[in-house]
Amino acid sequence: MEHNSVRIKFSQQQSFRSAADAARVLLDAIQNHDKVVIDCDEITSVDMSFIQILISAHKYARDANKVIGLKNPAGGALLECLHAAGILDAVISGDQVAQLWKNGVDA
């Protein structure tokens, strides 16, 4: 186990077509690092599959006592998709997922 952080950068379109790759990258990062910082600043288009992957990665990391979060608070296409889905302030399994979208994490 590496005891450091890693930054994962996603760009362009993140949709069901790239979902498996995004999930693999995040799972690998969580398994091999104590802290995962996700950079979504250059994403141009997002669908709910990517949002679901981020939520699942957040839960997986939390359950493994790891830290995961966005580099910057959600903006652009990611924020638009979150608003459209109505989940910005959602509470899932007693966990405030809203913190994932609203707080940036240092690398």
Side-chain angles (χ1 to χ4, degrees):
M1 161 76 73
E2 295 179 31
H3 296 286
N4 59 6
S5 66
V6 64
R7 182 183 297 182
I8 306 298
K9 186 172 188 167
F10 292 102
S11 61
Q12 300 179 355
Q13 183 179 29
Q14 296 300 317
S15 67
F16 70 93
R17 288 184 178 93
S18 57
D21 291 336
R24 267 192 300 275
V25 167
L26 287 168
L27 179 61
D28 182 61
I30 294 166
Q31 290 174 337
N32 292 299
H33 300 277
D34 293 326
K35 184 178 188 180
V36 178
V37 179
I38 305 165
D39 184 344
C40 295
D41 293 349
E42 294 183 13
I43 291 177
T44 58
S45 176
V46 175
D47 72 9
M48 279 306 297
S49 61
F50 185 70
I51 302 294
Q52 291 170 330
I53 288 167
L54 291 179
I55 292 170
S56 294
H58 179 260
K59 182 180 182 330
Y60 181 79
R62 186 196 65 219
D63 290 349
N65 294 315
K66 307 286 183 94
V67 175
I68 189 169
L70 298 180
K71 177 183 163 225
N72 295 308
L78 180 59
L79 185 60
E80 288 175 21
C81 186
L82 291 167
H83 277 301
I87 62 171
L88 260 183
D89 296 312
V91 176
I92 297 175
S93 301
D95 181 39
Q96 291 226 350
V97 175
Q99 297 309 310
L100 175 64
W101 318 117
K102 294 180 179 179
N103 298 331
V105 174
D106 294 328

